Amino acid sequence: MPIVEVQLNRLGINSLEVSTDSVEVSAGTALHIRIVNFGAPTHATLRTEGSAYTNFTYENLYVEAESEIKVDILPSANPGSFEMQVISGYGMRRSGFTVNVILPELEEKKEPEPVEPIQQKSKRAPLTKIGWSVILINLIAPILGFIVLIFWILAPAAVNTTAMAVILYVIMLAGIIITWRSVQ
């Protein structure tokens, strides 16, 4: 049940506000226009020239606090639109909105059905040459570092201490850089 709200005298004397610029209504149903007056009782007029869509043409209302008008849309109405005018302050203020008439079948199709998200299996990209080299270095670097460390501990006199320290440093640094890059 589409409802359009019209507010009178909310912003000042004879002010007129319409809740929407357009509304959709199915052929054979009704549009409800709710008029709310925030000030002293006043007159408001609803008017349309949408005779192809409704028998409603004109209504002059005396609104004390609230009033609701039902505008029936003809069941034989074809899809289209017409303008509904709202007039207050004895013609001083005018506003309006568009009534879009749709077929009932179109309205039913328009309502989205809840769709369950489809879970897709994540496909990993095939490893490139660079990917394989990273994996190999990540496997080989710790093993080489461990071998160099064991050799250094068991035969300290047979190796240059500075050279071994540099080799261990380079192997550890390579492992850190490769690990850091693989996260990116």
Side-chain angles (χ1 to χ4, degrees):
M1 170 176 79
I3 297 177
V4 175
E5 185 170 287
V6 176
Q7 297 178 345
L8 301 173
N9 298 319
R10 188 178 75 84
L11 298 175
I13 297 173
N14 294 326
S15 69
L16 173 62
E17 299 168 86
V18 179
S19 65
T20 185
D21 292 334
S22 67
V23 64
E24 287 187 349
V25 184
S26 294
T29 62
L31 167 66
H32 294 265
I33 302 172
R34 183 172 170 242
I35 302 173
V36 180
N37 184 11
F38 290 89
T42 188
H43 287 274
T45 303
L46 294 175
R47 185 180 85 133
T48 188
E49 293 179 9
S51 59
Y53 304 99
T54 182
N55 290 329
F56 181 89
T57 55
Y58 180 89
E59 180 121 8
N60 190 11
L61 305 165
Y62 182 72
V63 184
E64 289 186 33
E66 282 187 31
S67 183
E68 188 167 311
I69 300 296
K70 185 172 119 179
V71 178
D72 291 317
I73 305 298
L74 298 172
S76 60
N78 290 321
S81 61
F82 65 94
E83 294 295 317
M84 179 68 72
Q85 283 190 336
V86 184
I87 305 165
S88 72
Y90 301 100
M92 191 167 80
R93 306 274 185 197
R94 293 175 185 260
S95 188
F97 58 93
T98 303
V99 179
N100 297 312
V101 178
I102 59 174
L103 295 176
E105 298 87 35
L106 296 176
E107 184 178 75
E108 290 174 12
K109 290 179 184 175
K110 191 174 182 180
E111 295 177 12
E113 295 180 15
V115 178
E116 294 182 24
I118 299 172
Q119 295 180 355
Q120 297 179 353
K121 294 179 182 177
S122 63
K123 296 180 181 178
R124 289 188 172 183
L127 287 174
T128 61
K129 290 180 182 180
I130 297 172
W132 281 110
S133 64
V134 169
I135 290 174
L136 288 175
I137 292 172
N138 279 334
L139 290 174
I140 295 172
I143 295 170
L144 284 177
F146 184 71
I147 291 171
V148 169
L149 185 63
I150 295 297
F151 186 66
W152 192 7
I153 292 172
L154 294 178
V159 292
N160 184 353
T161 309
T162 307
M164 284 300 184
V166 169
I167 291 171
L168 278 177
Y169 177 76
V170 169
I171 291 173
M172 289 189 312
L173 183 63
I176 291 170
I177 291 172
I178 291 169
T179 305
W180 175 68
R181 295 284 302 192
S182 67
V183 172
Q184 292 178 345

